[in-house]
Amino acid sequence: MEVVICADYEELSAAAAGVVAGVIRGKPDAVLGLATGSTPLGLYEELVRMHAEEGLDFSQVTTFNLDEYVGLAGEHEQSYRHFMNENLFEHVNVPLERTHVPSGTAEDYCVHCRQYEQLIEQAGGIDVQVLGIGSDGHIAFNEPGTSLASRTHVTTLTEQTIRDNARFFQKKQDVPIYAVTMGVGTILEARKLLLLATGAGKADAVAAAVEGPVTSMCTASSLQLHPDAAVFLDEGAAGNLRMADYYKWIQARKPGAPRH
Ligand code: PGA
C-alpha cells in the first residue's frame, strides 16, 4: 500500500485528481469507481477544473458509484445520485447514461444488486476506485463485521454512521437506516484503489486500516490485500500512524527510486 501524506486538503485533492486524470488520459474509455461524502469534493472540483481548463475528456468514461441510501429516489436532495450530478456529472462531459449509481428505490434489491455487479463486469471492471473511510473504518457502506468477500448488497447502517451522516439531513431521524453498497469483494476487484481521508476525526480509522490487522471489523483494512492501493491523507488523518515518518521518507525519495 502506498501512503501519501499531504500538507493539507487542497494538496490531497489535487494529488488524487492527478491520479484519476492520469488513468483517463491513459485510457479515454476508463471505468471510474466513485464515492460520495465530503472527502472527495475537492477531488471532484479539481477534475471539473481540469475538464474546463485542460480539456480533460470524459466523453468515453463510464462510472460506477459505491452506494446509495435505500428509500431515496435520485431526485432526492440527499440521494447520492443527486450528489454526483451536482458535484461532478453536470460539470464534465460524461454521458449521463454511462454514470451508474445503485438505485435506492429498486423493486427487488436481490435482482438489482446482481445486475449492478453484471454491469460492472460488462464494462470491463473498474480501472480506478475512489474511496472515503468512515470513522468506523468502513469503505462504501461496508460496516464492521461485513465479509471481506461480500458483493453488492443491502446493508443496515451502524448508529455511528447514521450519526456521522446526520449533518447532511435536517434531523437524525431523516437519515435512512439501510443502503445498497458494493461489497468489499467487489471493491477489491478494481484495478487500482485510491482511499482519501482528511482530518483528525479519521486518524483512528486510518491507523486501523493501514497498520492494523486485516479484519472485517475495519473493512478499509482489506486494502492491505490489494496489489495497487494508495491512501492519500492530510496531516490530521495521518496523526496516529506509527510509520508516518517512513511513509514521508519513501515519498521524498520516490523521484530517485529505480523503476519498478
Ligand atoms: P465523509 O464520509 O467523506 O463524508 O467523511 C466518508 C465515508 O463515510 O466513507
Side-chain angles (χ1 to χ4, degrees), residues 110-135:
C110 265
V111 171
H112 180 64
C113 291
R114 225 177 11 248
Q115 284 172 344
Y116 203 69
E117 293 272 338
Q118 282 165 358
L119 281 174
I120 295 172
E121 207 182 308
Q122 282 160 14
I126 292 171
D127 290 302
V128 57
Q129 175 67 60
V130 176
L131 298 163
I133 181 170
S135 57

PDB file of all heavy atoms in Angstrom, residues 110-135:
ATOM      1  N   CYS A 110     -32.376  -7.883  -4.497  1.00  0.00           N
ATOM      2  CA  CYS A 110     -31.530  -9.032  -4.859  1.00  0.00           C
ATOM      3  C   CYS A 110     -31.177  -8.947  -6.335  1.00  0.00           C
ATOM      4  O   CYS A 110     -30.010  -9.040  -6.730  1.00  0.00           O
ATOM      5  CB  CYS A 110     -32.290 -10.341  -4.633  1.00  0.00           C
ATOM      6  SG  CYS A 110     -31.928 -11.043  -3.049  1.00  0.00           S
ATOM      7  N   VAL A 111     -32.211  -8.730  -7.150  1.00  0.00           N
ATOM      8  CA  VAL A 111     -32.020  -8.638  -8.595  1.00  0.00           C
ATOM      9  C   VAL A 111     -31.156  -7.421  -8.915  1.00  0.00           C
ATOM     10  O   VAL A 111     -30.202  -7.493  -9.695  1.00  0.00           O
ATOM     11  CB  VAL A 111     -33.393  -8.540  -9.314  1.00  0.00           C
ATOM     12  CG1 VAL A 111     -33.223  -8.233 -10.794  1.00  0.00           C
ATOM     13  CG2 VAL A 111     -34.187  -9.823  -9.110  1.00  0.00           C
ATOM     14  N   HIS A 112     -31.488  -6.293  -8.293  1.00  0.00           N
ATOM     15  CA  HIS A 112     -30.763  -5.055  -8.593  1.00  0.00           C
ATOM     16  C   HIS A 112     -29.273  -5.188  -8.270  1.00  0.00           C
ATOM     17  O   HIS A 112     -28.416  -4.766  -9.053  1.00  0.00           O
ATOM     18  CB  HIS A 112     -31.378  -3.892  -7.820  1.00  0.00           C
ATOM     19  CG  HIS A 112     -30.682  -2.596  -8.095  1.00  0.00           C
ATOM     20  ND1 HIS A 112     -30.661  -2.012  -9.348  1.00  0.00           N
ATOM     21  CD2 HIS A 112     -29.929  -1.800  -7.299  1.00  0.00           C
ATOM     22  CE1 HIS A 112     -29.943  -0.912  -9.306  1.00  0.00           C
ATOM     23  NE2 HIS A 112     -29.481  -0.758  -8.078  1.00  0.00           N
ATOM     24  N   CYS A 113     -28.963  -5.775  -7.140  1.00  0.00           N
ATOM     25  CA  CYS A 113     -27.554  -5.913  -6.733  1.00  0.00           C
ATOM     26  C   CYS A 113     -26.800  -6.814  -7.701  1.00  0.00           C
ATOM     27  O   CYS A 113     -25.659  -6.528  -8.068  1.00  0.00           O
ATOM     28  CB  CYS A 113     -27.453  -6.474  -5.318  1.00  0.00           C
ATOM     29  SG  CYS A 113     -28.023  -5.304  -4.071  1.00  0.00           S
ATOM     30  N   ARG A 114     -27.464  -7.888  -8.128  1.00  0.00           N
ATOM     31  CA  ARG A 114     -26.833  -8.798  -9.089  1.00  0.00           C
ATOM     32  C   ARG A 114     -26.589  -8.067 -10.408  1.00  0.00           C
ATOM     33  O   ARG A 114     -25.526  -8.178 -11.016  1.00  0.00           O
ATOM     34  CB  ARG A 114     -27.723 -10.022  -9.295  1.00  0.00           C
ATOM     35  CG  ARG A 114     -26.937 -11.311  -9.263  1.00  0.00           C
ATOM     36  CD  ARG A 114     -27.734 -12.585  -9.395  1.00  0.00           C
ATOM     37  NE  ARG A 114     -29.105 -12.490  -9.782  1.00  0.00           N
ATOM     38  CZ  ARG A 114     -30.139 -12.789  -8.985  1.00  0.00           C
ATOM     39  NH1 ARG A 114     -29.929 -13.144  -7.728  1.00  0.00           N
ATOM     40  NH2 ARG A 114     -31.373 -12.729  -9.433  1.00  0.00           N
ATOM     41  N   GLN A 115     -27.583  -7.283 -10.835  1.00  0.00           N
ATOM     42  CA  GLN A 115     -27.440  -6.552 -12.103  1.00  0.00           C
ATOM     43  C   GLN A 115     -26.311  -5.521 -12.022  1.00  0.00           C
ATOM     44  O   GLN A 115     -25.595  -5.292 -12.993  1.00  0.00           O
ATOM     45  CB  GLN A 115     -28.752  -5.858 -12.465  1.00  0.00           C
ATOM     46  CG  GLN A 115     -29.793  -6.825 -13.017  1.00  0.00           C
ATOM     47  CD  GLN A 115     -31.156  -6.175 -13.191  1.00  0.00           C
ATOM     48  OE1 GLN A 115     -31.414  -5.098 -12.626  1.00  0.00           O
ATOM     49  NE2 GLN A 115     -32.043  -6.834 -13.938  1.00  0.00           N
ATOM     50  N   TYR A 116     -26.184  -4.896 -10.860  1.00  0.00           N
ATOM     51  CA  TYR A 116     -25.120  -3.883 -10.702  1.00  0.00           C
ATOM     52  C   TYR A 116     -23.754  -4.547 -10.893  1.00  0.00           C
ATOM     53  O   TYR A 116     -22.877  -4.022 -11.589  1.00  0.00           O
ATOM     54  CB  TYR A 116     -25.238  -3.221  -9.321  1.00  0.00           C
ATOM     55  CG  TYR A 116     -24.605  -1.855  -9.260  1.00  0.00           C
ATOM     56  CD1 TYR A 116     -25.161  -0.779  -9.950  1.00  0.00           C
ATOM     57  CD2 TYR A 116     -23.440  -1.631  -8.517  1.00  0.00           C
ATOM     58  CE1 TYR A 116     -24.574   0.478  -9.906  1.00  0.00           C
ATOM     59  CE2 TYR A 116     -22.857  -0.375  -8.460  1.00  0.00           C
ATOM     60  CZ  TYR A 116     -23.433   0.678  -9.154  1.00  0.00           C
ATOM     61  OH  TYR A 116     -22.864   1.925  -9.109  1.00  0.00           O
ATOM     62  N   GLU A 117     -23.587  -5.702 -10.290  1.00  0.00           N
ATOM     63  CA  GLU A 117     -22.340  -6.467 -10.458  1.00  0.00           C
ATOM     64  C   GLU A 117     -22.115  -6.809 -11.935  1.00  0.00           C
ATOM     65  O   GLU A 117     -20.995  -6.700 -12.437  1.00  0.00           O
ATOM     66  CB  GLU A 117     -22.413  -7.772  -9.651  1.00  0.00           C
ATOM     67  CG  GLU A 117     -22.428  -7.566  -8.149  1.00  0.00           C
ATOM     68  CD  GLU A 117     -21.035  -7.494  -7.540  1.00  0.00           C
ATOM     69  OE1 GLU A 117     -20.086  -7.990  -8.155  1.00  0.00           O
ATOM     70  OE2 GLU A 117     -20.910  -6.909  -6.447  1.00  0.00           O
ATOM     71  N   GLN A 118     -23.197  -7.227 -12.596  1.00  0.00           N
ATOM     72  CA  GLN A 118     -23.070  -7.601 -14.022  1.00  0.00           C
ATOM     73  C   GLN A 118     -22.676  -6.399 -14.868  1.00  0.00           C
ATOM     74  O   GLN A 118     -21.865  -6.504 -15.783  1.00  0.00           O
ATOM     75  CB  GLN A 118     -24.388  -8.195 -14.535  1.00  0.00           C
ATOM     76  CG  GLN A 118     -24.585  -9.634 -14.090  1.00  0.00           C
ATOM     77  CD  GLN A 118     -26.027 -10.110 -14.268  1.00  0.00           C
ATOM     78  OE1 GLN A 118     -26.897  -9.340 -14.691  1.00  0.00           O
ATOM     79  NE2 GLN A 118     -26.283 -11.361 -13.918  1.00  0.00           N
ATOM     80  N   LEU A 119     -23.267  -5.249 -14.562  1.00  0.00           N
ATOM     81  CA  LEU A 119     -22.937  -4.033 -15.325  1.00  0.00           C
ATOM     82  C   LEU A 119     -21.452  -3.692 -15.196  1.00  0.00           C
ATOM     83  O   LEU A 119     -20.801  -3.304 -16.171  1.00  0.00           O
ATOM     84  CB  LEU A 119     -23.775  -2.847 -14.820  1.00  0.00           C
ATOM     85  CG  LEU A 119     -25.219  -2.764 -15.297  1.00  0.00           C
ATOM     86  CD1 LEU A 119     -25.929  -1.618 -14.588  1.00  0.00           C
ATOM     87  CD2 LEU A 119     -25.262  -2.555 -16.818  1.00  0.00           C
ATOM     88  N   ILE A 120     -20.937  -3.844 -13.990  1.00  0.00           N
ATOM     89  CA  ILE A 120     -19.506  -3.560 -13.776  1.00  0.00           C
ATOM     90  C   ILE A 120     -18.669  -4.525 -14.609  1.00  0.00           C
ATOM     91  O   ILE A 120     -17.713  -4.125 -15.285  1.00  0.00           O
ATOM     92  CB  ILE A 120     -19.138  -3.672 -12.271  1.00  0.00           C
ATOM     93  CG1 ILE A 120     -19.846  -2.592 -11.458  1.00  0.00           C
ATOM     94  CG2 ILE A 120     -17.626  -3.582 -12.087  1.00  0.00           C
ATOM     95  CD1 ILE A 120     -19.707  -2.732  -9.948  1.00  0.00           C
ATOM     96  N   GLU A 121     -19.056  -5.780 -14.581  1.00  0.00           N
ATOM     97  CA  GLU A 121     -18.320  -6.802 -15.332  1.00  0.00           C
ATOM     98  C   GLU A 121     -18.377  -6.516 -16.835  1.00  0.00           C
ATOM     99  O   GLU A 121     -17.357  -6.551 -17.526  1.00  0.00           O
ATOM    100  CB  GLU A 121     -18.943  -8.153 -15.018  1.00  0.00           C
ATOM    101  CG  GLU A 121     -17.972  -9.305 -15.168  1.00  0.00           C
ATOM    102  CD  GLU A 121     -18.673 -10.629 -14.898  1.00  0.00           C
ATOM    103  OE1 GLU A 121     -19.329 -10.758 -13.842  1.00  0.00           O
ATOM    104  OE2 GLU A 121     -18.572 -11.506 -15.776  1.00  0.00           O
ATOM    105  N   GLN A 122     -19.608  -6.182 -17.313  1.00  0.00           N
ATOM    106  CA  GLN A 122     -19.770  -5.915 -18.752  1.00  0.00           C
ATOM    107  C   GLN A 122     -18.954  -4.706 -19.199  1.00  0.00           C
ATOM    108  O   GLN A 122     -18.524  -4.618 -20.348  1.00  0.00           O
ATOM    109  CB  GLN A 122     -21.242  -5.677 -19.089  1.00  0.00           C
ATOM    110  CG  GLN A 122     -22.053  -6.975 -19.159  1.00  0.00           C
ATOM    111  CD  GLN A 122     -23.551  -6.746 -19.001  1.00  0.00           C
ATOM    112  OE1 GLN A 122     -24.021  -5.601 -19.101  1.00  0.00           O
ATOM    113  NE2 GLN A 122     -24.291  -7.801 -18.729  1.00  0.00           N
ATOM    114  N   ALA A 123     -18.756  -3.764 -18.279  1.00  0.00           N
ATOM    115  CA  ALA A 123     -17.969  -2.568 -18.616  1.00  0.00           C
ATOM    116  C   ALA A 123     -16.476  -2.879 -18.621  1.00  0.00           C
ATOM    117  O   ALA A 123     -15.655  -2.019 -18.925  1.00  0.00           O
ATOM    118  CB  ALA A 123     -18.280  -1.449 -17.625  1.00  0.00           C
ATOM    119  N   GLY A 124     -16.130  -4.098 -18.220  1.00  0.00           N
ATOM    120  CA  GLY A 124     -14.715  -4.488 -18.228  1.00  0.00           C
ATOM    121  C   GLY A 124     -14.032  -4.316 -16.883  1.00  0.00           C
ATOM    122  O   GLY A 124     -12.801  -4.377 -16.789  1.00  0.00           O
ATOM    123  N   GLY A 125     -14.809  -4.069 -15.829  1.00  0.00           N
ATOM    124  CA  GLY A 125     -14.234  -3.881 -14.496  1.00  0.00           C
ATOM    125  C   GLY A 125     -13.832  -2.435 -14.263  1.00  0.00           C
ATOM    126  O   GLY A 125     -13.746  -1.643 -15.210  1.00  0.00           O
ATOM    127  N   ILE A 126     -13.584  -2.109 -13.018  1.00  0.00           N
ATOM    128  CA  ILE A 126     -13.283  -0.716 -12.648  1.00  0.00           C
ATOM    129  C   ILE A 126     -11.778  -0.476 -12.690  1.00  0.00           C
ATOM    130  O   ILE A 126     -10.997  -1.243 -12.131  1.00  0.00           O
ATOM    131  CB  ILE A 126     -13.884  -0.427 -11.248  1.00  0.00           C
ATOM    132  CG1 ILE A 126     -15.416  -0.437 -11.359  1.00  0.00           C
ATOM    133  CG2 ILE A 126     -13.359   0.883 -10.666  1.00  0.00           C
ATOM    134  CD1 ILE A 126     -16.153  -0.392 -10.044  1.00  0.00           C
ATOM    135  N   ASP A 127     -11.373   0.580 -13.390  1.00  0.00           N
ATOM    136  CA  ASP A 127      -9.946   0.876 -13.519  1.00  0.00           C
ATOM    137  C   ASP A 127      -9.382   1.541 -12.270  1.00  0.00           C
ATOM    138  O   ASP A 127      -8.286   1.229 -11.837  1.00  0.00           O
ATOM    139  CB  ASP A 127      -9.712   1.783 -14.745  1.00  0.00           C
ATOM    140  CG  ASP A 127      -9.949   1.033 -16.037  1.00  0.00           C
ATOM    141  OD1 ASP A 127      -9.281   0.000 -16.249  1.00  0.00           O
ATOM    142  OD2 ASP A 127     -10.833   1.444 -16.816  1.00  0.00           O
ATOM    143  N   VAL A 128     -10.135   2.501 -11.755  1.00  0.00           N
ATOM    144  CA  VAL A 128      -9.675   3.151 -10.511  1.00  0.00           C
ATOM    145  C   VAL A 128     -10.896   3.431  -9.643  1.00  0.00           C
ATOM    146  O   VAL A 128     -11.898   3.972 -10.116  1.00  0.00           O
ATOM    147  CB  VAL A 128      -8.837   4.433 -10.782  1.00  0.00           C
ATOM    148  CG1 VAL A 128      -9.596   5.445 -11.601  1.00  0.00           C
ATOM    149  CG2 VAL A 128      -8.356   5.067  -9.475  1.00  0.00           C
ATOM    150  N   GLN A 129     -10.822   3.024  -8.388  1.00  0.00           N
ATOM    151  CA  GLN A 129     -11.938   3.200  -7.459  1.00  0.00           C
ATOM    152  C   GLN A 129     -11.544   4.213  -6.391  1.00  0.00           C
ATOM    153  O   GLN A 129     -10.555   4.025  -5.671  1.00  0.00           O
ATOM    154  CB  GLN A 129     -12.284   1.864  -6.795  1.00  0.00           C
ATOM    155  CG  GLN A 129     -13.356   1.944  -5.707  1.00  0.00           C
ATOM    156  CD  GLN A 129     -14.726   2.309  -6.270  1.00  0.00           C
ATOM    157  OE1 GLN A 129     -15.260   1.595  -7.095  1.00  0.00           O
ATOM    158  NE2 GLN A 129     -15.293   3.431  -5.819  1.00  0.00           N
ATOM    159  N   VAL A 130     -12.307   5.295  -6.303  1.00  0.00           N
ATOM    160  CA  VAL A 130     -12.110   6.301  -5.260  1.00  0.00           C
ATOM    161  C   VAL A 130     -12.881   5.853  -4.015  1.00  0.00           C
ATOM    162  O   VAL A 130     -14.027   5.417  -4.114  1.00  0.00           O
ATOM    163  CB  VAL A 130     -12.637   7.681  -5.729  1.00  0.00           C
ATOM    164  CG1 VAL A 130     -12.519   8.711  -4.621  1.00  0.00           C
ATOM    165  CG2 VAL A 130     -11.903   8.124  -6.994  1.00  0.00           C
ATOM    166  N   LEU A 131     -12.247   5.991  -2.860  1.00  0.00           N
ATOM    167  CA  LEU A 131     -12.888   5.571  -1.605  1.00  0.00           C
ATOM    168  C   LEU A 131     -12.695   6.634  -0.527  1.00  0.00           C
ATOM    169  O   LEU A 131     -11.628   7.258  -0.447  1.00  0.00           O
ATOM    170  CB  LEU A 131     -12.235   4.286  -1.077  1.00  0.00           C
ATOM    171  CG  LEU A 131     -12.329   3.033  -1.952  1.00  0.00           C
ATOM    172  CD1 LEU A 131     -11.297   2.012  -1.495  1.00  0.00           C
ATOM    173  CD2 LEU A 131     -13.744   2.463  -1.883  1.00  0.00           C
ATOM    174  N   GLY A 132     -13.714   6.813   0.312  1.00  0.00           N
ATOM    175  CA  GLY A 132     -13.533   7.525   1.569  1.00  0.00           C
ATOM    176  C   GLY A 132     -13.419   6.469   2.652  1.00  0.00           C
ATOM    177  O   GLY A 132     -13.398   5.270   2.373  1.00  0.00           O
ATOM    178  N   ILE A 133     -13.345   6.905   3.897  1.00  0.00           N
ATOM    179  CA  ILE A 133     -13.339   5.941   5.008  1.00  0.00           C
ATOM    180  C   ILE A 133     -14.246   6.489   6.105  1.00  0.00           C
ATOM    181  O   ILE A 133     -14.204   7.687   6.410  1.00  0.00           O
ATOM    182  CB  ILE A 133     -11.895   5.678   5.521  1.00  0.00           C
ATOM    183  CG1 ILE A 133     -11.886   4.654   6.667  1.00  0.00           C
ATOM    184  CG2 ILE A 133     -11.190   6.953   5.931  1.00  0.00           C
ATOM    185  CD1 ILE A 133     -10.477   4.174   7.057  1.00  0.00           C
ATOM    186  N   GLY A 134     -15.086   5.648   6.655  1.00  0.00           N
ATOM    187  CA  GLY A 134     -15.954   6.076   7.746  1.00  0.00           C
ATOM    188  C   GLY A 134     -15.177   6.109   9.052  1.00  0.00           C
ATOM    189  O   GLY A 134     -14.114   5.488   9.170  1.00  0.00           O
ATOM    190  N   SER A 135     -15.695   6.827  10.037  1.00  0.00           N
ATOM    191  CA  SER A 135     -14.987   6.856  11.321  1.00  0.00           C
ATOM    192  C   SER A 135     -15.000   5.474  11.972  1.00  0.00           C
ATOM    193  O   SER A 135     -14.222   5.200  12.876  1.00  0.00           O
ATOM    194  CB  SER A 135     -15.580   7.919  12.247  1.00  0.00           C
ATOM    195  OG  SER A 135     -16.949   7.678  12.449  1.00  0.00           O
TER     196      SER A 135
END
